[in-house]
Amino acid sequence: MYKIVSIPGDGIGPEVVAGALEVLNAVAKKHGFEVEIEEHLFGGASYDVYGSMLTDETLEACKNCDAVLLGAVGGYKWENLPHDKKPEAALLKLRKELGLFANLRPAKVYDALVASSTLKTEVVQGTDFMVFRELTGGIYFGQPRGYDENRGWNTMVYERYEVERIARLAFEYAQKRGNAKVTSIDKANVLEVSQFWRNIVHEVHQDFPEIELVDMYVDNAAMQVVRNPKQFEVIVTGNIFGDILSDISGMITGSLGMLPSASIGSEHALYEPIHGSAPDIAGQNKANPIATIASVAMMFENSFNRPEVAGDIYAAIEGALAAGLRTGDIAAPGEAICSTTEMTAAIVARI
Amino acid sequence: MYKIVSIPGDGIGPEVVAGALEVLNAVAKKHGFEVEIEEHLFGGASYDVYGSMLTDETLEACKNCDAVLLGAVGGYKWENLPHDKKPEAALLKLRKELGLFANLRPAKVYDALVASSTLKTEVVQGTDFMVFRELTGGIYFGQPRGYDENRGWNTMVYERYEVERIARLAFEYAQKRGNAKVTSIDKANVLEVSQFWRNIVHEVHQDFPEIELVDMYVDNAAMQVVRNPKQFEVIVTGNIFGDILSDISGMITGSLGMLPSASIGSEHALYEPIHGSAPDIAGQNKANPIATIASVAMMFENSFNRPEVAGDIYAAIEGALAAGLRTGDIAAPGEAICSTTEMTAAIVARI
Ligand SMILES: [Mg+2]
Ligand SMILES: [Mg+2]
C-alpha cells in the first residue's frame, strides 16, 4: 500500500490534481495495489482558512507518507503579502523541512507535439533525458552574501556530502535506466568549486564503473542542448547551473506546460508539475492535467521503483495525444480543444 | 589615419588575417582613408622565436595603436607547456594589460545560412543582437576562492565601477543602434550581487531615458534565446551569465565559426573571430575568413564609429554568401567548396 499526501493547492491545482488522482486510482486497480490518499491544504487555500500557508498539520502529514503530490500554489489574491508569508516562501519551507536536496526534471519530447518545439523536428524528436539539479546548496544558499552602496557579493560553495548524495542519486537513476550515460556539468576550467564538484562526482563514479561519465562545461552544455539534445541521457549539476539548464531543456521540448518534476531527499519526495497555478483559467475545466499526471508517473519510477506503472501512464498520455486530444495550451490554431476532464478521461481509458 | 596592430598568431590565423587585411585595404581605398598596419608575433608563433608567447614589444605595440586585430592562437605544438606558459594564459594577460573589461559578441543570422541553425527558419531568421559580457570581474575573478578535501568555494562579486562602465558601454551602443532595447540579465530574485547589478544598471539608465531597459532572469533569458531570439537587440550581463548566454546565442545562429568578437576597454580594443586556430587545416587555404573579416567590421563600428564602413563589409559578406560561395565549414553536403583566398576575393570584389 502506498500512502500519498495530495496537496491540490491554488488556482488550477485542484483540477489537475483531481485528474492525476483518477489516473493513480486507475493504475492501482490495473496493477492490483492499494493507495491511501490524504488531502491537505497548502498555499493560499491554507492561508484563507488558517492564516498560514503551511500548517504544522500539513507538514507532519507530508513527513509521514510515501510521497507528496502537489498541484500548484499562489495567485493574485496573495501576491501582496509580505515576502516571508508568500506562497513561494511556504514552498521553500516545505522543501527544506522535507530535506529535498535534488530536483529532477525530465526533458521529454512527445512525438505528437514535436512540431511545437522551436527546434527542428529532426534535431529534437526522440529527446528524453533527465536533469538532476542540486537544490539546497551552491550560490543560492552560500554565505557570506549581501550588498551595499558600492558592491554586491554571493558565495558559491559546495560541501563534500552535498555533491556525494546528488551524484549517487544520479548514478543510481542511470543504473535503473539501463546504465545510461551521465553528464556532469560544471565550470572546472575556471572555478575551484567546480573542480571540487568534478573530483567528488568522479569519486562516487568509482562505485558505478559500468556507467559512462562525461564532464562538460556549463557554457558548452547550454549550447549542446540546443545543438543536439539527443546526446544526453542523465545530467547532474549544481543549483544555479541546473536552474538554467533545466529551463532550456524544458523549452526545447516545445511543451513546457507538460513537464513534471520531482524533488527528492533521503527520506521524502514531492512531485509536482513545473507549471504555475494559472489563476486566470482556474475553475473553468480548461487546464492541462498532463504535467500532473506525468508527476504521478515520476512518483512510481522514483519513489516506488515501479517503472512498469510509470510506463503505463506515459503510454496512456501518448495515446491520448496521438488520438488528437488537445487542451487549449497545446492546441495548434484551428485544432479542437478538449477540457481537463475530457483529457483525463481519455488517459484513464488508456490505462 | 587608423593605426592597426595585426596579430596573425597560430594555425589558420595568418590565412584569415591576411584575408581580413585585404578587405580592410579595400574599404580604405573606397572610403578614402589611410590605414597603417603593423604586424606582430603572438602566441606559439612568438614562443618559437622568443621563448615567450607575449613579448614586451608586442604588448607595447598593442598599447600604442587604435585597434588590434587578432587571428587565433594555440595548437598541438604548445599544448603540453606549463599552464602559465600556454597560449591561453598569454591571451588572458594581453586582455588584462589592455584593460579589456567588455566582451561583445553579435548573434547575427546570415540569410544564406539560416538553414544551418537547429532552430526553425521562421524562429531564427532575422536575429541580430549584441551580447555585452563583463569580462574581468564576477565569479571568475572574485576572492576568496579555493578548495580542499571537503569543500570548494568561489565568490561572485561586483564593484560599482565595474557595473557602471559596462552598462554605459551597452547603453551608448544601443543609442548608436537607433535607441535599441537593452535587456539586462541577472538573477536578482535570488542573488544579492545581482540585485546590486540591477540597481546600478538602472542608475546608469537614467542618463539614457530614451532607451527601453528590460530586466530578465538568467534562466528565463536562456529559454527566451531559444524560444524567440528576435526579441533581443542588446544584452548586457555579468561574466559567467555572459559566458553561457553568448555561447547559446552564437549556437542558434547556426554558424558559430562565422562570428566575430570585440574586447573593449576604456583605452584599447581587440577584435578577433571566436573560432580557434584549427591546426588540422592550417596552411591549406581551407579556412573560412568571414569571422575575421566581420571582426574588421566590428572595429569600424566600435572603435572608429564608422557604421557605414561596417555596413559595406557586412553587405559584401552577405553578397558572397548569396552568390553561393562556401568554405568547407559552411558547405551543405554536395555543395561546391571554395578556398580562403576565393572567399576573400569574392568579398573584396563586393566592397
Ligand atoms: Mg529556473
Ligand atoms: Mg564560453
Side-chain angles (χ1 to χ4, degrees), chain A residues 187 219, chain B residues 243 247:
Chain A
K187 190 68 186 177
D219 47 336
Chain B
D243 191 6
D247 280 342

PDB file of all heavy atoms in Angstrom, chain A residues 187 219, chain B residues 243 247, ligand 2:
ATOM      1  N   LYS A 187      32.060  24.137 -14.287  1.00  0.00           N
ATOM      2  CA  LYS A 187      32.930  25.119 -14.937  1.00  0.00           C
ATOM      3  C   LYS A 187      34.323  24.977 -14.322  1.00  0.00           C
ATOM      4  O   LYS A 187      34.926  25.947 -13.842  1.00  0.00           O
ATOM      5  CB  LYS A 187      32.350  26.524 -14.750  1.00  0.00           C
ATOM      6  CG  LYS A 187      33.029  27.594 -15.580  1.00  0.00           C
ATOM      7  CD  LYS A 187      32.823  27.477 -17.077  1.00  0.00           C
ATOM      8  CE  LYS A 187      33.667  28.493 -17.818  1.00  0.00           C
ATOM      9  NZ  LYS A 187      33.570  28.389 -19.282  1.00  0.00           N
ATOM     10  N   ASP A 219      28.882  26.315 -20.210  1.00  0.00           N
ATOM     11  CA  ASP A 219      28.590  27.107 -21.410  1.00  0.00           C
ATOM     12  C   ASP A 219      28.461  26.198 -22.626  1.00  0.00           C
ATOM     13  O   ASP A 219      27.566  26.370 -23.459  1.00  0.00           O
ATOM     14  CB  ASP A 219      29.621  28.230 -21.622  1.00  0.00           C
ATOM     15  CG  ASP A 219      31.058  27.769 -21.489  1.00  0.00           C
ATOM     16  OD1 ASP A 219      31.322  26.750 -20.818  1.00  0.00           O
ATOM     17  OD2 ASP A 219      31.945  28.433 -22.053  1.00  0.00           O
TER      18      ASP A 219
ATOM     19  N   ASP B 243      29.049  34.377 -20.383  1.00  0.00           N
ATOM     20  CA  ASP B 243      29.761  33.237 -20.959  1.00  0.00           C
ATOM     21  C   ASP B 243      28.743  32.231 -21.518  1.00  0.00           C
ATOM     22  O   ASP B 243      28.833  31.775 -22.660  1.00  0.00           O
ATOM     23  CB  ASP B 243      30.616  32.592 -19.862  1.00  0.00           C
ATOM     24  CG  ASP B 243      31.596  31.573 -20.386  1.00  0.00           C
ATOM     25  OD1 ASP B 243      31.707  31.420 -21.618  1.00  0.00           O
ATOM     26  OD2 ASP B 243      32.261  30.912 -19.563  1.00  0.00           O
ATOM     27  N   ASP B 247      27.386  32.012 -25.724  1.00  0.00           N
ATOM     28  CA  ASP B 247      27.564  30.745 -26.436  1.00  0.00           C
ATOM     29  C   ASP B 247      26.242  30.212 -26.998  1.00  0.00           C
ATOM     30  O   ASP B 247      26.193  29.762 -28.146  1.00  0.00           O
ATOM     31  CB  ASP B 247      28.217  29.702 -25.513  1.00  0.00           C
ATOM     32  CG  ASP B 247      29.726  29.900 -25.412  1.00  0.00           C
ATOM     33  OD1 ASP B 247      30.300  30.581 -26.281  1.00  0.00           O
ATOM     34  OD2 ASP B 247      30.336  29.381 -24.465  1.00  0.00           O
TER      35      ASP B 247
HETATM   36 MG    MG C   2      32.027  30.192 -23.220  1.00  0.00          MG
END
